[in-house]
């Protein structure tokens, strides 16, 4: 009987360890402090007093108007993340409106904390994502037209390109109130301070002059 009880306890402990995990972060990092007076945010946002909450807290109007696509990318992303839409706090969801001029591009980027589902409302988009190194950096692409939906798994590089001669419109639904955004070119070539030229030249296997040229460019952010 003692042996059976002992085995039961071991299984219970193993099960609890197997399913235990830290909460998913809702920002890039959260450095621990011993003085609570120095704390600004705890993995998200502070909550408004429910007694003071109004219907307007759950209401968002910025998707009514097309985004300005008169830029070098020919696209504009209007986000409804928790910073723009406080009512999303703790709900684990977010949205974005994507406007494209003809041949406009939403460049390769990553959402480190959220999966994205894209629904095309107007136009024709060439979309795709690249798998991790473990899966040989395989590219999955598709051409989407009105009514089509495509999913980009969390944390993988993905993009959308309008291949039509008319404007395109899509809406993205994300599985985090703050999915985050890392635009690859901006992060690599426009970091502050800049990444050492030798590092990038060796990583991309090009000469230093090309890296210097790329770091001198004005990398536009379409969000």
């Amino acid at each position: 009987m003692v042996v059976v009880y002992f085995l039961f306890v071991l299984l219970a402990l193993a099960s609890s360890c197997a399913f235990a995990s830290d909460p998913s972060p809702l920002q890039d990092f959260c450095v621990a402090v011993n003085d609570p007076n120095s704390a600004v945010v705890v993995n998200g946002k502070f909550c408004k007093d429910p007694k003071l909450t109004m219907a307007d807290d759950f209401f968002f109007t910025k998707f009514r108007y097309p985004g300005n696509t008169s830029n070098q990318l020919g696209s504009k992303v209007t986000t409804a993340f928790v910073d723009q839409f406080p009512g999303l706090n703790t709900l684990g969801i977010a949205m974005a409106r994507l406007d494209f001029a003809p041949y406009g591009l939403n460049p390769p980027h990553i959402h480190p904390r959220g999966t994205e589902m894209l629904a095309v409302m107007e136009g024709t988009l060439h979309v795709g994502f690249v798998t991790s190194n473990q899966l040989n950096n395989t590219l999955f692409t598709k051409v989407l037209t009105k009514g089509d939906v495509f999913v980009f798994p969390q944390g993988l590089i993905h993009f959308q390109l309008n291949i039509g001669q008319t404007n395109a419109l899509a809406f993205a639904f994300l599985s985090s109130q703050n999915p985050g955004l890392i635009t690859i070119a901006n992060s690599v070539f426009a970091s502050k301070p800049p990444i050492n030229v030798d590092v990038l030249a060796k990583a991309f296997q090009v000469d230093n002059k090309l890296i210097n040229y790329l770091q001198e460019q004005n990398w536009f952010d379409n969000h």
Side-chain angles (χ1 to χ4, degrees), residues 49-62:
D49 185 341
K51 295 178 182 177
L52 302 177
T53 300
M54 303 176 293
D56 281 349
D57 294 321
F58 306 99
F59 183 58
F60 188 79
T61 63
K62 293 183 180 179

Side-chain angles (χ1 to χ4, degrees), residues 36-55:
N37 293 324
S38 301
V40 242
V41 70
V42 183
N43 209 13
K45 302 285 186 181
F46 294 112
C47 296
K48 187 176 184 179
D49 185 341
K51 295 178 182 177
L52 302 177
T53 300
M54 303 176 293

